[in-house]
Amino acid sequence: MTTSPDEANTTSGPGEASRTSGSGSSAAPVSAPAKDPWDLPDASGLVVGVLGGTGDQGRGLAYRLARAGQKVLIGSRREERARTASAELGLGTEGFENAECARRSDVVIVAVPWDGHGKTLEGLREELAGKLVVDCVNPLGFDKKGAYAIRPEEGSAAEQAAALLPESRVTAAFHHLSAALLQDEATESIDTDVMVLGEVRADTDLVQALAARIPGVRGIFAGRLRNAHQVESLTANLVSTNRRYKAHAGLRVTDV
């Protein structure tokens, strides 16, 4: 049985002692202290694959994580494109066709275009089984009025991924990072938070730790996958903000 994010706060740890009164009668067990939400695991040794690593967002994430010392594999529908992108990025990255990238990775970031999201994941179900999958795809449309959010039948891109990958551990994150800033070699630190969603606290903790590998970035737990639509949709608002102010806007969550 898996442990959910909120359940992990209340479950007693193994080997806890019970308090006893002076008369020898048993009292209620001592509750374990709440887990520090900033006590995150070490993600530095994980191999991270980026499906869609030749696109702007995927390439930017690959660059930032590799620059932080992470082992990064770049995936593409065509191995030649992945290898070319890897050669251009350097930093120890390697390029593979998507299926091989998924097989070789511990964590797989999905950064493919929305119109190919479902088909790509459906074709990689076997390779992604047992993997921690991080979906960062934003279902957006564009018309003369600008960007607008699309609501998939499953509710969100992340929920579509979970439906298509029943044997994977699906999370959602990295939706609001500017691709331009990610790829800008002169930008040392990116001042933004990454909203992380998922069903199991151990998984969201790991993605938060991975986000924190990028200087200036924090990973913030933002709920279960059923809340992913709002997070994905907010990207349309940020696109509008960036166009109006000629900026690369991000998010900061206050008081945490």
PDB file of all heavy atoms in Angstrom, residues 213-253:
ATOM      1  N   ARG A 213      17.481  21.619  -7.399  1.00  0.00           N
ATOM      2  CA  ARG A 213      18.820  21.533  -7.981  1.00  0.00           C
ATOM      3  C   ARG A 213      19.113  22.722  -8.892  1.00  0.00           C
ATOM      4  O   ARG A 213      20.268  23.041  -9.149  1.00  0.00           O
ATOM      5  CB  ARG A 213      18.952  20.235  -8.783  1.00  0.00           C
ATOM      6  CG  ARG A 213      18.760  18.958  -7.985  1.00  0.00           C
ATOM      7  CD  ARG A 213      20.031  18.524  -7.307  1.00  0.00           C
ATOM      8  NE  ARG A 213      20.986  18.038  -8.270  1.00  0.00           N
ATOM      9  CZ  ARG A 213      22.315  17.998  -8.074  1.00  0.00           C
ATOM     10  NH1 ARG A 213      22.826  18.461  -6.950  1.00  0.00           N
ATOM     11  NH2 ARG A 213      23.126  17.524  -8.998  1.00  0.00           N
ATOM     12  N   ILE A 214      18.055  23.377  -9.361  1.00  0.00           N
ATOM     13  CA  ILE A 214      18.216  24.550 -10.227  1.00  0.00           C
ATOM     14  C   ILE A 214      18.353  25.777  -9.332  1.00  0.00           C
ATOM     15  O   ILE A 214      17.433  26.068  -8.548  1.00  0.00           O
ATOM     16  CB  ILE A 214      17.012  24.706 -11.170  1.00  0.00           C
ATOM     17  CG1 ILE A 214      16.831  23.446 -12.027  1.00  0.00           C
ATOM     18  CG2 ILE A 214      17.179  25.942 -12.054  1.00  0.00           C
ATOM     19  CD1 ILE A 214      15.572  23.454 -12.875  1.00  0.00           C
ATOM     20  N   PRO A 215      19.441  26.513  -9.369  1.00  0.00           N
ATOM     21  CA  PRO A 215      19.633  27.668  -8.490  1.00  0.00           C
ATOM     22  C   PRO A 215      18.476  28.662  -8.577  1.00  0.00           C
ATOM     23  O   PRO A 215      18.037  29.034  -9.670  1.00  0.00           O
ATOM     24  CB  PRO A 215      20.937  28.293  -8.996  1.00  0.00           C
ATOM     25  CG  PRO A 215      21.687  27.139  -9.577  1.00  0.00           C
ATOM     26  CD  PRO A 215      20.638  26.266 -10.215  1.00  0.00           C
ATOM     27  N   GLY A 216      17.970  29.069  -7.403  1.00  0.00           N
ATOM     28  CA  GLY A 216      16.883  30.033  -7.312  1.00  0.00           C
ATOM     29  C   GLY A 216      15.503  29.415  -7.282  1.00  0.00           C
ATOM     30  O   GLY A 216      14.530  30.089  -6.960  1.00  0.00           O
ATOM     31  N   VAL A 217      15.397  28.131  -7.598  1.00  0.00           N
ATOM     32  CA  VAL A 217      14.097  27.477  -7.720  1.00  0.00           C
ATOM     33  C   VAL A 217      13.769  26.691  -6.449  1.00  0.00           C
ATOM     34  O   VAL A 217      14.638  26.049  -5.861  1.00  0.00           O
ATOM     35  CB  VAL A 217      14.084  26.526  -8.944  1.00  0.00           C
ATOM     36  CG1 VAL A 217      12.802  25.702  -8.988  1.00  0.00           C
ATOM     37  CG2 VAL A 217      14.246  27.328 -10.227  1.00  0.00           C
ATOM     38  N   ARG A 218      12.513  26.756  -6.032  1.00  0.00           N
ATOM     39  CA  ARG A 218      12.002  25.896  -4.967  1.00  0.00           C
ATOM     40  C   ARG A 218      10.876  25.037  -5.532  1.00  0.00           C
ATOM     41  O   ARG A 218      10.088  25.492  -6.363  1.00  0.00           O
ATOM     42  CB  ARG A 218      11.402  26.704  -3.806  1.00  0.00           C
ATOM     43  CG  ARG A 218      12.354  27.536  -3.010  1.00  0.00           C
ATOM     44  CD  ARG A 218      11.650  28.113  -1.785  1.00  0.00           C
ATOM     45  NE  ARG A 218      10.379  28.788  -2.119  1.00  0.00           N
ATOM     46  CZ  ARG A 218       9.503  29.222  -1.204  1.00  0.00           C
ATOM     47  NH1 ARG A 218       9.735  29.037   0.081  1.00  0.00           N
ATOM     48  NH2 ARG A 218       8.401  29.838  -1.579  1.00  0.00           N
ATOM     49  N   GLY A 219      10.784  23.808  -5.056  1.00  0.00           N
ATOM     50  CA  GLY A 219       9.634  22.975  -5.365  1.00  0.00           C
ATOM     51  C   GLY A 219       8.633  23.071  -4.228  1.00  0.00           C
ATOM     52  O   GLY A 219       8.998  22.895  -3.067  1.00  0.00           O
ATOM     53  N   ILE A 220       7.384  23.373  -4.531  1.00  0.00           N
ATOM     54  CA  ILE A 220       6.328  23.546  -3.525  1.00  0.00           C
ATOM     55  C   ILE A 220       5.229  22.520  -3.774  1.00  0.00           C
ATOM     56  O   ILE A 220       4.675  22.461  -4.882  1.00  0.00           O
ATOM     57  CB  ILE A 220       5.710  24.956  -3.602  1.00  0.00           C
ATOM     58  CG1 ILE A 220       6.787  26.037  -3.449  1.00  0.00           C
ATOM     59  CG2 ILE A 220       4.614  25.134  -2.563  1.00  0.00           C
ATOM     60  CD1 ILE A 220       7.368  26.150  -2.077  1.00  0.00           C
ATOM     61  N   PHE A 221       4.893  21.713  -2.767  1.00  0.00           N
ATOM     62  CA  PHE A 221       3.789  20.772  -2.931  1.00  0.00           C
ATOM     63  C   PHE A 221       2.492  21.554  -3.120  1.00  0.00           C
ATOM     64  O   PHE A 221       2.169  22.449  -2.353  1.00  0.00           O
ATOM     65  CB  PHE A 221       3.674  19.856  -1.712  1.00  0.00           C
ATOM     66  CG  PHE A 221       2.485  18.940  -1.780  1.00  0.00           C
ATOM     67  CD1 PHE A 221       2.450  17.901  -2.698  1.00  0.00           C
ATOM     68  CD2 PHE A 221       1.396  19.133  -0.950  1.00  0.00           C
ATOM     69  CE1 PHE A 221       1.344  17.061  -2.771  1.00  0.00           C
ATOM     70  CE2 PHE A 221       0.286  18.302  -1.019  1.00  0.00           C
ATOM     71  CZ  PHE A 221       0.265  17.262  -1.934  1.00  0.00           C
ATOM     72  N   ALA A 222       1.715  21.192  -4.155  1.00  0.00           N
ATOM     73  CA  ALA A 222       0.525  21.969  -4.509  1.00  0.00           C
ATOM     74  C   ALA A 222      -0.725  21.103  -4.658  1.00  0.00           C
ATOM     75  O   ALA A 222      -1.707  21.543  -5.235  1.00  0.00           O
ATOM     76  CB  ALA A 222       0.779  22.738  -5.807  1.00  0.00           C
ATOM     77  N   GLY A 223      -0.705  19.885  -4.113  1.00  0.00           N
ATOM     78  CA  GLY A 223      -1.906  19.076  -4.123  1.00  0.00           C
ATOM     79  C   GLY A 223      -1.782  17.817  -4.968  1.00  0.00           C
ATOM     80  O   GLY A 223      -0.724  17.483  -5.493  1.00  0.00           O
ATOM     81  N   ARG A 224      -2.892  17.150  -5.086  1.00  0.00           N
ATOM     82  CA  ARG A 224      -2.952  15.905  -5.847  1.00  0.00           C
ATOM     83  C   ARG A 224      -3.179  16.196  -7.332  1.00  0.00           C
ATOM     84  O   ARG A 224      -3.462  17.328  -7.717  1.00  0.00           O
ATOM     85  CB  ARG A 224      -4.058  15.014  -5.284  1.00  0.00           C
ATOM     86  CG  ARG A 224      -3.795  14.568  -3.839  1.00  0.00           C
ATOM     87  CD  ARG A 224      -4.952  13.733  -3.320  1.00  0.00           C
ATOM     88  NE  ARG A 224      -4.754  13.343  -1.929  1.00  0.00           N
ATOM     89  CZ  ARG A 224      -4.178  12.209  -1.541  1.00  0.00           C
ATOM     90  NH1 ARG A 224      -3.723  11.357  -2.455  1.00  0.00           N
ATOM     91  NH2 ARG A 224      -4.065  11.916  -0.262  1.00  0.00           N
ATOM     92  N   LEU A 225      -3.084  15.156  -8.131  1.00  0.00           N
ATOM     93  CA  LEU A 225      -3.194  15.340  -9.577  1.00  0.00           C
ATOM     94  C   LEU A 225      -4.538  15.911 -10.003  1.00  0.00           C
ATOM     95  O   LEU A 225      -4.633  16.534 -11.059  1.00  0.00           O
ATOM     96  CB  LEU A 225      -2.945  14.015 -10.301  1.00  0.00           C
ATOM     97  CG  LEU A 225      -1.510  13.474 -10.288  1.00  0.00           C
ATOM     98  CD1 LEU A 225      -1.430  12.208 -11.140  1.00  0.00           C
ATOM     99  CD2 LEU A 225      -0.509  14.503 -10.773  1.00  0.00           C
ATOM    100  N   ARG A 226      -5.582  15.707  -9.206  1.00  0.00           N
ATOM    101  CA  ARG A 226      -6.875  16.263  -9.583  1.00  0.00           C
ATOM    102  C   ARG A 226      -6.850  17.789  -9.626  1.00  0.00           C
ATOM    103  O   ARG A 226      -7.753  18.417 -10.180  1.00  0.00           O
ATOM    104  CB  ARG A 226      -7.964  15.783  -8.631  1.00  0.00           C
ATOM    105  CG  ARG A 226      -7.851  16.322  -7.216  1.00  0.00           C
ATOM    106  CD  ARG A 226      -8.941  15.761  -6.335  1.00  0.00           C
ATOM    107  NE  ARG A 226      -8.902  16.336  -4.991  1.00  0.00           N
ATOM    108  CZ  ARG A 226      -9.743  15.993  -4.019  1.00  0.00           C
ATOM    109  NH1 ARG A 226     -10.682  15.090  -4.232  1.00  0.00           N
ATOM    110  NH2 ARG A 226      -9.651  16.556  -2.827  1.00  0.00           N
ATOM    111  N   ASN A 227      -5.830  18.400  -9.020  1.00  0.00           N
ATOM    112  CA  ASN A 227      -5.687  19.854  -9.036  1.00  0.00           C
ATOM    113  C   ASN A 227      -4.746  20.352 -10.143  1.00  0.00           C
ATOM    114  O   ASN A 227      -4.426  21.540 -10.195  1.00  0.00           O
ATOM    115  CB  ASN A 227      -5.160  20.346  -7.686  1.00  0.00           C
ATOM    116  CG  ASN A 227      -6.142  20.113  -6.568  1.00  0.00           C
ATOM    117  OD1 ASN A 227      -7.342  20.295  -6.746  1.00  0.00           O
ATOM    118  ND2 ASN A 227      -5.645  19.688  -5.413  1.00  0.00           N
ATOM    119  N   ALA A 228      -4.320  19.454 -11.006  1.00  0.00           N
ATOM    120  CA  ALA A 228      -3.321  19.843 -12.003  1.00  0.00           C
ATOM    121  C   ALA A 228      -3.876  20.793 -13.066  1.00  0.00           C
ATOM    122  O   ALA A 228      -3.120  21.587 -13.633  1.00  0.00           O
ATOM    123  CB  ALA A 228      -2.734  18.594 -12.672  1.00  0.00           C
ATOM    124  N   HIS A 229      -5.170  20.715 -13.355  1.00  0.00           N
ATOM    125  CA  HIS A 229      -5.713  21.563 -14.414  1.00  0.00           C
ATOM    126  C   HIS A 229      -5.488  23.042 -14.123  1.00  0.00           C
ATOM    127  O   HIS A 229      -5.102  23.809 -15.014  1.00  0.00           O
ATOM    128  CB  HIS A 229      -7.208  21.293 -14.602  1.00  0.00           C
ATOM    129  CG  HIS A 229      -7.872  22.235 -15.560  1.00  0.00           C
ATOM    130  ND1 HIS A 229      -7.561  22.258 -16.903  1.00  0.00           N
ATOM    131  CD2 HIS A 229      -8.804  23.203 -15.362  1.00  0.00           C
ATOM    132  CE1 HIS A 229      -8.293  23.201 -17.501  1.00  0.00           C
ATOM    133  NE2 HIS A 229      -9.043  23.781 -16.591  1.00  0.00           N
ATOM    134  N   GLN A 230      -5.715  23.457 -12.865  1.00  0.00           N
ATOM    135  CA  GLN A 230      -5.531  24.867 -12.532  1.00  0.00           C
ATOM    136  C   GLN A 230      -4.082  25.299 -12.727  1.00  0.00           C
ATOM    137  O   GLN A 230      -3.809  26.413 -13.187  1.00  0.00           O
ATOM    138  CB  GLN A 230      -5.940  25.139 -11.070  1.00  0.00           C
ATOM    139  CG  GLN A 230      -7.377  24.824 -10.735  1.00  0.00           C
ATOM    140  CD  GLN A 230      -7.552  23.428 -10.186  1.00  0.00           C
ATOM    141  OE1 GLN A 230      -7.337  22.452 -10.883  1.00  0.00           O
ATOM    142  NE2 GLN A 230      -7.951  23.324  -8.926  1.00  0.00           N
ATOM    143  N   VAL A 231      -3.159  24.426 -12.356  1.00  0.00           N
ATOM    144  CA  VAL A 231      -1.737  24.749 -12.475  1.00  0.00           C
ATOM    145  C   VAL A 231      -1.334  24.849 -13.944  1.00  0.00           C
ATOM    146  O   VAL A 231      -0.641  25.780 -14.362  1.00  0.00           O
ATOM    147  CB  VAL A 231      -0.886  23.696 -11.740  1.00  0.00           C
ATOM    148  CG1 VAL A 231       0.600  23.934 -11.968  1.00  0.00           C
ATOM    149  CG2 VAL A 231      -1.199  23.731 -10.238  1.00  0.00           C
ATOM    150  N   GLU A 232      -1.781  23.885 -14.744  1.00  0.00           N
ATOM    151  CA  GLU A 232      -1.471  23.922 -16.172  1.00  0.00           C
ATOM    152  C   GLU A 232      -2.097  25.143 -16.843  1.00  0.00           C
ATOM    153  O   GLU A 232      -1.462  25.809 -17.674  1.00  0.00           O
ATOM    154  CB  GLU A 232      -1.986  22.636 -16.833  1.00  0.00           C
ATOM    155  CG  GLU A 232      -1.288  21.372 -16.359  1.00  0.00           C
ATOM    156  CD  GLU A 232      -1.977  20.091 -16.802  1.00  0.00           C
ATOM    157  OE1 GLU A 232      -2.987  20.188 -17.545  1.00  0.00           O
ATOM    158  OE2 GLU A 232      -1.521  19.002 -16.413  1.00  0.00           O
ATOM    159  N   SER A 233      -3.338  25.450 -16.462  1.00  0.00           N
ATOM    160  CA  SER A 233      -4.064  26.558 -17.093  1.00  0.00           C
ATOM    161  C   SER A 233      -3.443  27.910 -16.787  1.00  0.00           C
ATOM    162  O   SER A 233      -3.511  28.834 -17.613  1.00  0.00           O
ATOM    163  CB  SER A 233      -5.519  26.563 -16.624  1.00  0.00           C
ATOM    164  OG  SER A 233      -6.177  25.380 -17.004  1.00  0.00           O
ATOM    165  N   LEU A 234      -2.827  28.040 -15.618  1.00  0.00           N
ATOM    166  CA  LEU A 234      -2.239  29.322 -15.226  1.00  0.00           C
ATOM    167  C   LEU A 234      -1.152  29.769 -16.201  1.00  0.00           C
ATOM    168  O   LEU A 234      -0.865  30.964 -16.310  1.00  0.00           O
ATOM    169  CB  LEU A 234      -1.671  29.219 -13.810  1.00  0.00           C
ATOM    170  CG  LEU A 234      -1.142  30.492 -13.167  1.00  0.00           C
ATOM    171  CD1 LEU A 234      -2.213  31.579 -13.129  1.00  0.00           C
ATOM    172  CD2 LEU A 234      -0.627  30.206 -11.762  1.00  0.00           C
ATOM    173  N   THR A 235      -0.597  28.825 -16.933  1.00  0.00           N
ATOM    174  CA  THR A 235       0.422  29.177 -17.915  1.00  0.00           C
ATOM    175  C   THR A 235      -0.131  30.136 -18.961  1.00  0.00           C
ATOM    176  O   THR A 235       0.592  31.021 -19.453  1.00  0.00           O
ATOM    177  CB  THR A 235       0.963  27.908 -18.596  1.00  0.00           C
ATOM    178  OG1 THR A 235       1.430  27.005 -17.584  1.00  0.00           O
ATOM    179  CG2 THR A 235       2.114  28.241 -19.542  1.00  0.00           C
ATOM    180  N   ALA A 236      -1.401  30.000 -19.313  1.00  0.00           N
ATOM    181  CA  ALA A 236      -2.009  30.922 -20.278  1.00  0.00           C
ATOM    182  C   ALA A 236      -1.983  32.352 -19.747  1.00  0.00           C
ATOM    183  O   ALA A 236      -1.749  33.301 -20.501  1.00  0.00           O
ATOM    184  CB  ALA A 236      -3.444  30.498 -20.585  1.00  0.00           C
ATOM    185  N   ASN A 237      -2.212  32.510 -18.437  1.00  0.00           N
ATOM    186  CA  ASN A 237      -2.149  33.841 -17.836  1.00  0.00           C
ATOM    187  C   ASN A 237      -0.735  34.397 -17.862  1.00  0.00           C
ATOM    188  O   ASN A 237      -0.525  35.592 -18.119  1.00  0.00           O
ATOM    189  CB  ASN A 237      -2.662  33.795 -16.395  1.00  0.00           C
ATOM    190  CG  ASN A 237      -4.074  33.291 -16.294  1.00  0.00           C
ATOM    191  OD1 ASN A 237      -4.293  32.091 -16.155  1.00  0.00           O
ATOM    192  ND2 ASN A 237      -5.047  34.179 -16.374  1.00  0.00           N
ATOM    193  N   LEU A 238       0.239  33.529 -17.603  1.00  0.00           N
ATOM    194  CA  LEU A 238       1.625  33.983 -17.620  1.00  0.00           C
ATOM    195  C   LEU A 238       2.068  34.374 -19.027  1.00  0.00           C
ATOM    196  O   LEU A 238       2.848  35.313 -19.206  1.00  0.00           O
ATOM    197  CB  LEU A 238       2.544  32.895 -17.059  1.00  0.00           C
ATOM    198  CG  LEU A 238       2.403  32.618 -15.558  1.00  0.00           C
ATOM    199  CD1 LEU A 238       3.289  31.450 -15.146  1.00  0.00           C
ATOM    200  CD2 LEU A 238       2.753  33.850 -14.741  1.00  0.00           C
ATOM    201  N   VAL A 239       1.581  33.649 -20.031  1.00  0.00           N
ATOM    202  CA  VAL A 239       1.890  34.026 -21.417  1.00  0.00           C
ATOM    203  C   VAL A 239       1.377  35.437 -21.699  1.00  0.00           C
ATOM    204  O   VAL A 239       2.068  36.270 -22.302  1.00  0.00           O
ATOM    205  CB  VAL A 239       1.269  33.014 -22.403  1.00  0.00           C
ATOM    206  CG1 VAL A 239       1.339  33.542 -23.826  1.00  0.00           C
ATOM    207  CG2 VAL A 239       1.979  31.671 -22.303  1.00  0.00           C
ATOM    208  N   SER A 240       0.154  35.726 -21.239  1.00  0.00           N
ATOM    209  CA  SER A 240      -0.416  37.069 -21.432  1.00  0.00           C
ATOM    210  C   SER A 240       0.396  38.123 -20.690  1.00  0.00           C
ATOM    211  O   SER A 240       0.648  39.214 -21.206  1.00  0.00           O
ATOM    212  CB  SER A 240      -1.872  37.085 -20.957  1.00  0.00           C
ATOM    213  OG  SER A 240      -2.661  36.181 -21.702  1.00  0.00           O
ATOM    214  N   THR A 241       0.804  37.794 -19.464  1.00  0.00           N
ATOM    215  CA  THR A 241       1.625  38.720 -18.683  1.00  0.00           C
ATOM    216  C   THR A 241       2.943  39.010 -19.390  1.00  0.00           C
ATOM    217  O   THR A 241       3.380  40.172 -19.498  1.00  0.00           O
ATOM    218  CB  THR A 241       1.907  38.119 -17.289  1.00  0.00           C
ATOM    219  OG1 THR A 241       0.670  37.931 -16.599  1.00  0.00           O
ATOM    220  CG2 THR A 241       2.817  39.019 -16.470  1.00  0.00           C
ATOM    221  N   ASN A 242       3.575  37.959 -19.872  1.00  0.00           N
ATOM    222  CA  ASN A 242       4.872  38.135 -20.535  1.00  0.00           C
ATOM    223  C   ASN A 242       4.767  38.973 -21.807  1.00  0.00           C
ATOM    224  O   ASN A 242       5.647  39.786 -22.108  1.00  0.00           O
ATOM    225  CB  ASN A 242       5.473  36.765 -20.860  1.00  0.00           C
ATOM    226  CG  ASN A 242       5.940  36.030 -19.610  1.00  0.00           C
ATOM    227  OD1 ASN A 242       6.240  36.647 -18.601  1.00  0.00           O
ATOM    228  ND2 ASN A 242       5.996  34.714 -19.691  1.00  0.00           N
ATOM    229  N   ARG A 243       3.679  38.788 -22.530  1.00  0.00           N
ATOM    230  CA  ARG A 243       3.507  39.557 -23.755  1.00  0.00           C
ATOM    231  C   ARG A 243       3.270  41.035 -23.447  1.00  0.00           C
ATOM    232  O   ARG A 243       3.792  41.913 -24.139  1.00  0.00           O
ATOM    233  CB  ARG A 243       2.343  38.983 -24.570  1.00  0.00           C
ATOM    234  CG  ARG A 243       2.679  37.666 -25.246  1.00  0.00           C
ATOM    235  CD  ARG A 243       1.534  37.139 -26.075  1.00  0.00           C
ATOM    236  NE  ARG A 243       1.939  35.942 -26.832  1.00  0.00           N
ATOM    237  CZ  ARG A 243       1.130  35.236 -27.606  1.00  0.00           C
ATOM    238  NH1 ARG A 243      -0.143  35.600 -27.736  1.00  0.00           N
ATOM    239  NH2 ARG A 243       1.570  34.177 -28.254  1.00  0.00           N
ATOM    240  N   ARG A 244       2.493  41.307 -22.430  1.00  0.00           N
ATOM    241  CA  ARG A 244       2.194  42.701 -22.096  1.00  0.00           C
ATOM    242  C   ARG A 244       3.422  43.424 -21.565  1.00  0.00           C
ATOM    243  O   ARG A 244       3.685  44.582 -21.930  1.00  0.00           O
ATOM    244  CB  ARG A 244       1.062  42.743 -21.041  1.00  0.00           C
ATOM    245  CG  ARG A 244       0.782  44.136 -20.458  1.00  0.00           C
ATOM    246  CD  ARG A 244       0.272  45.125 -21.503  1.00  0.00           C
ATOM    247  NE  ARG A 244      -1.008  44.735 -22.058  1.00  0.00           N
ATOM    248  CZ  ARG A 244      -2.182  45.102 -21.551  1.00  0.00           C
ATOM    249  NH1 ARG A 244      -2.226  45.867 -20.479  1.00  0.00           N
ATOM    250  NH2 ARG A 244      -3.297  44.718 -22.119  1.00  0.00           N
ATOM    251  N   TYR A 245       4.178  42.771 -20.683  1.00  0.00           N
ATOM    252  CA  TYR A 245       5.275  43.439 -19.991  1.00  0.00           C
ATOM    253  C   TYR A 245       6.655  43.100 -20.560  1.00  0.00           C
ATOM    254  O   TYR A 245       7.665  43.543 -20.013  1.00  0.00           O
ATOM    255  CB  TYR A 245       5.233  43.102 -18.498  1.00  0.00           C
ATOM    256  CG  TYR A 245       3.977  43.601 -17.833  1.00  0.00           C
ATOM    257  CD1 TYR A 245       2.931  42.720 -17.550  1.00  0.00           C
ATOM    258  CD2 TYR A 245       3.804  44.944 -17.524  1.00  0.00           C
ATOM    259  CE1 TYR A 245       1.759  43.164 -16.953  1.00  0.00           C
ATOM    260  CE2 TYR A 245       2.639  45.405 -16.927  1.00  0.00           C
ATOM    261  CZ  TYR A 245       1.617  44.510 -16.644  1.00  0.00           C
ATOM    262  OH  TYR A 245       0.458  44.954 -16.062  1.00  0.00           O
ATOM    263  N   LYS A 246       6.670  42.320 -21.655  1.00  0.00           N
ATOM    264  CA  LYS A 246       7.946  41.913 -22.260  1.00  0.00           C
ATOM    265  C   LYS A 246       8.862  41.313 -21.190  1.00  0.00           C
ATOM    266  O   LYS A 246      10.012  41.696 -21.009  1.00  0.00           O
ATOM    267  CB  LYS A 246       8.634  43.114 -22.917  1.00  0.00           C
ATOM    268  CG  LYS A 246       7.784  43.792 -23.984  1.00  0.00           C
ATOM    269  CD  LYS A 246       7.521  42.856 -25.169  1.00  0.00           C
ATOM    270  CE  LYS A 246       6.807  43.573 -26.306  1.00  0.00           C
ATOM    271  NZ  LYS A 246       5.399  43.881 -26.007  1.00  0.00           N
ATOM    272  N   ALA A 247       8.295  40.321 -20.464  1.00  0.00           N
ATOM    273  CA  ALA A 247       8.976  39.748 -19.305  1.00  0.00           C
ATOM    274  C   ALA A 247       9.057  38.230 -19.427  1.00  0.00           C
ATOM    275  O   ALA A 247       8.606  37.640 -20.417  1.00  0.00           O
ATOM    276  CB  ALA A 247       8.214  40.129 -18.032  1.00  0.00           C
ATOM    277  N   HIS A 248       9.648  37.609 -18.413  1.00  0.00           N
ATOM    278  CA  HIS A 248       9.682  36.146 -18.289  1.00  0.00           C
ATOM    279  C   HIS A 248       9.148  35.831 -16.885  1.00  0.00           C
ATOM    280  O   HIS A 248       9.877  35.375 -16.009  1.00  0.00           O
ATOM    281  CB  HIS A 248      11.095  35.609 -18.463  1.00  0.00           C
ATOM    282  CG  HIS A 248      11.699  35.946 -19.791  1.00  0.00           C
ATOM    283  ND1 HIS A 248      11.180  35.477 -20.983  1.00  0.00           N
ATOM    284  CD2 HIS A 248      12.766  36.714 -20.120  1.00  0.00           C
ATOM    285  CE1 HIS A 248      11.908  35.930 -21.984  1.00  0.00           C
ATOM    286  NE2 HIS A 248      12.877  36.692 -21.494  1.00  0.00           N
ATOM    287  N   ALA A 249       7.871  36.081 -16.687  1.00  0.00           N
ATOM    288  CA  ALA A 249       7.274  35.999 -15.354  1.00  0.00           C
ATOM    289  C   ALA A 249       7.260  34.574 -14.821  1.00  0.00           C
ATOM    290  O   ALA A 249       7.103  33.610 -15.568  1.00  0.00           O
ATOM    291  CB  ALA A 249       5.845  36.545 -15.398  1.00  0.00           C
ATOM    292  N   GLY A 250       7.427  34.472 -13.510  1.00  0.00           N
ATOM    293  CA  GLY A 250       7.302  33.199 -12.810  1.00  0.00           C
ATOM    294  C   GLY A 250       6.409  33.370 -11.599  1.00  0.00           C
ATOM    295  O   GLY A 250       5.713  34.391 -11.472  1.00  0.00           O
ATOM    296  N   LEU A 251       6.433  32.411 -10.694  1.00  0.00           N
ATOM    297  CA  LEU A 251       5.580  32.454  -9.509  1.00  0.00           C
ATOM    298  C   LEU A 251       6.418  32.342  -8.240  1.00  0.00           C
ATOM    299  O   LEU A 251       7.429  31.637  -8.216  1.00  0.00           O
ATOM    300  CB  LEU A 251       4.586  31.292  -9.513  1.00  0.00           C
ATOM    301  CG  LEU A 251       3.558  31.242 -10.639  1.00  0.00           C
ATOM    302  CD1 LEU A 251       2.713  29.982 -10.495  1.00  0.00           C
ATOM    303  CD2 LEU A 251       2.672  32.468 -10.612  1.00  0.00           C
ATOM    304  N   ARG A 252       5.975  33.008  -7.182  1.00  0.00           N
ATOM    305  CA  ARG A 252       6.507  32.792  -5.850  1.00  0.00           C
ATOM    306  C   ARG A 252       5.331  32.564  -4.910  1.00  0.00           C
ATOM    307  O   ARG A 252       4.372  33.342  -4.909  1.00  0.00           O
ATOM    308  CB  ARG A 252       7.327  33.996  -5.367  1.00  0.00           C
ATOM    309  CG  ARG A 252       8.781  34.000  -5.778  1.00  0.00           C
ATOM    310  CD  ARG A 252       9.551  32.832  -5.199  1.00  0.00           C
ATOM    311  NE  ARG A 252      10.975  32.944  -5.439  1.00  0.00           N
ATOM    312  CZ  ARG A 252      11.812  31.903  -5.431  1.00  0.00           C
ATOM    313  NH1 ARG A 252      11.353  30.672  -5.212  1.00  0.00           N
ATOM    314  NH2 ARG A 252      13.097  32.072  -5.628  1.00  0.00           N
ATOM    315  N   VAL A 253       5.399  31.511  -4.113  1.00  0.00           N
ATOM    316  CA  VAL A 253       4.376  31.216  -3.120  1.00  0.00           C
ATOM    317  C   VAL A 253       4.831  31.827  -1.800  1.00  0.00           C
ATOM    318  O   VAL A 253       5.936  31.536  -1.310  1.00  0.00           O
ATOM    319  CB  VAL A 253       4.182  29.700  -2.967  1.00  0.00           C
ATOM    320  CG1 VAL A 253       3.117  29.401  -1.936  1.00  0.00           C
ATOM    321  CG2 VAL A 253       3.797  29.084  -4.306  1.00  0.00           C
TER     322      VAL A 253
END
